[in-house]
Amino acid sequence: MFKTSHPEKALKAIRILRYGLSGLFLVLALVRPETLLFLSLSLLAFLMARSDFCPVIRRS
């Protein structure tokens, strides 16, 4: 676990990255034959971004 001086800023940066990954996986689902895999990865990244799940950032 990492202790940060501003955990909300760190979580916001991670959230933006995860939304980007979700979009990337959606695009890959359109152009690659492994559609189900990329759709499930997109859903996972989206749900992790929405829930602010990050086990390495300590909120204290």
Side-chain angles (χ1 to χ4, degrees):
M1 292 183 54
F2 296 102
K3 185 172 179 169
T4 62
S5 59
H6 300 289
E8 292 304 316
K9 283 186 179 181
L11 289 172
K12 184 177 180 182
I14 292 169
R15 185 182 317 127
I16 290 170
L17 177 70
R18 287 183 177 157
Y19 280 132
L21 279 173
S22 179
L24 174 68
F25 287 138
L26 281 176
V27 170
L28 286 173
L30 293 173
V31 297
R32 301 288 300 178
E34 299 89 2
T35 303
L36 187 59
L37 171 69
F38 288 121
L39 285 177
S40 61
L41 287 173
S42 176
L43 178 64
L44 178 64
F46 180 77
L47 291 176
M48 287 177 70
R50 292 287 297 168
S51 68
D52 279 341
F53 175 73
C54 187
V56 295
I57 301 291
R58 184 184 324 169
R59 295 180 210 152
S60 53

